[in-house]
Amino acid sequence: MKNGVNILEETIGNTIIYATQGTGYLFEIEIGIVQINISNLNIVGIYFLTGQATNKGCFLFEAKPSVITPTDPVADGGLWNSTMKNINILGFNGNGIYLKGGTASGQSASFVPNQFNIFENVRVFKNNDTNFSLFSNALKMTGQVGQHSFINCQFDGYTKTTNDVKTYDKWINVSIENTTNNYMSSAVVTFLNCTIQDSDYGVRINYAENITFDNCWFENLGVAITVIGNIESSKSINILNNRFANASGFGSLLAPNNIKAGQCISVNKSVVNIYNNYVTASDPNGVDNGSAFVLGFQDNGGINCHNNTFRNDNPKLSKTFGIMQSVIIATTINCKSNKLVFIGQPIPPIPPVVPIPTVKNIISAINAGEILNIRANGITITFDNTGNIFLTNRTTFSLSNGEIASFKKIDIGTNNETYQLLSFTKTTP
């Protein structure tokens, strides 16, 4: 597809494009900056001559620079300022839509993003549930993909029913991943009023920033959203106002061949905001006890979780683990963006002859006016006021095992970072 191409058909039902057999992609773009508009298409990967699904993918938007010469060492490329609207994609064993940005090396990588694009009412239905040799996704993003909006789109897995037993797609519907530490990750991508369903994994994000799911529908999933930071932390991942239905270990659905002890949201080495979501299941009492709403692993930057609601206020649906993070005692403790921190000693523990350090400084990415809660975990913690901790009229303050204190960040002092003791809960003799 060349720059300036417009494919504008009459209605979504009147124009059908069939793929041939083979590999590769049905649509690709030329080098350089490409601006296109496509609307009102049914694109089918079932080869009409044989009735077999093709191993092709549908759309590959691979950003490639225009020809680089010694006098022009940096050239732009990628899908820019384009729209796709009212499109169905079904029957493909390969990726439905692959946005592959930032493929050039070195400095020129920043000149080959996919950016400023809108996808509206685009629906991708995967065809294959177990062919791991393809590892296909309904939507895939790698490299620099920025300023994208997906509005009222759908990214579905695959469902097979045998004797009333359902087997769902065993791979990922939406994959957003950067595999190199070149700071050319996907960022500023919004999914608004979208649907993601029928798969072991709905969304997987690995090293991305400012990815937002707002008022979306997640249904029939083992793990609805996975956020990790294997190369670099994923940050400002916003999961807001969504509906999760049978989206943690498939809820109470009969799906024995799929994930049963799952989560709506799984977080590892990342910063995620989880607000105002609703969680339900066909039978809340039949939900697997190993499932959870949020599962956080250690070394997260911060999981902020507020104002979420659950059908019948059922504790099985609302279970969380790992929002609290553990920190090893030290003179300076780094709490990152976490709001609830347990401070303990290393494993193996510090030998008795070595005194436990006094905490003199707190480092945190929370903002002034926010509250940090610190709990002593198996040790006695002593704070003093010689660093950036303000204890009002005290020079030192201690928490015994199980006691908790709240500190408010104030933007004064060294590096505009002071933590004032606000309140505490201590055991009575």
Side-chain angles (χ1 to χ4, degrees), residues 88-100:
N88 285 340
I89 301 170
L90 65 156
F92 288 84
N93 284 336
N95 295 310
I97 299 171
Y98 186 3
L99 289 155
K100 187 176 183 180

Side-chain angles (χ1 to χ4, degrees), residues 6 19 25 53 88 109 113 134 139 218 224 251 268 326 348 395:
N6 294 310
Y25 284 83
N88 285 340
L134 296 174
L139 172 65
F218 296 89
N268 191 9
S326 296
T395 56

Side-chain angles (χ1 to χ4, degrees), residues 327-334 343-346 350 356-362 379 381-383 389:
V327 175
I328 294 172
I329 186 72
T331 303
T332 299
I333 58 171
N334 188 349
I343 298 181
Q345 58 183 335
I350 299 173
I356 294 176
T358 296
V359 178
K360 299 181 179 181
N361 292 283
I362 296 173
I379 59 173
I381 307 170
T382 299
F383 302 88
I389 302 173

Side-chain angles (χ1 to χ4, degrees), residues 27 41 58-59 119 125-126 129 181 198 209 229 240 255 290-291 296 309-310 318 324 329 342 354 381 392 399 402 429:
F27 295 90
L41 288 178
C58 189
F59 286 97
F119 295 76
F125 305 89
K126 292 177 63 180
D129 63 333
N181 190 5
D198 298 342
E209 297 100 17
L240 318 171
S291 295
T309 57
F310 307 88
S318 63
M324 172 276 297
I329 186 72
F342 281 28
V354 178
I381 307 170
T392 314
L399 291 175

Side-chain angles (χ1 to χ4, degrees), residues 49-60:
L49 292 179
T50 65
Q52 298 297 312
T54 180
N55 286 337
K56 287 179 183 287
C58 189
F59 286 97
L60 173 61

Side-chain angles (χ1 to χ4, degrees), residues 55 92-93 126-132 134 136 157-158 169-171:
N55 286 337
F92 288 84
N93 284 336
K126 292 177 63 180
N127 187 70
N128 197 294
D129 63 333
T130 58
N131 191 341
F132 291 106
L134 296 174
S136 64
Y158 180 88
D169 190 346
K170 298 184 183 300
W171 195 230

Side-chain angles (χ1 to χ4, degrees), residues 1 3 25 27-35 60-68 74-80 98-105 108-115 142 144:
M1 300 191 69
N3 183 38
Y25 284 83
F27 295 90
E28 299 187 27
I29 57 173
E30 64 177 349
I31 63 173
I33 295 176
V34 176
Q35 299 181 33
L60 173 61
F61 299 114
E62 182 176 2
K64 298 178 182 178
S66 55
V67 177
I68 297 175
V74 177
D76 291 315
L79 184 71
W80 292 23
Y98 186 3
L99 289 155
K100 187 176 183 180
T103 56
S105 61
S108 60
S110 62
F111 290 87
V112 281
N114 289 315
Q115 61 184 357
T142 58
Q144 190 181 16

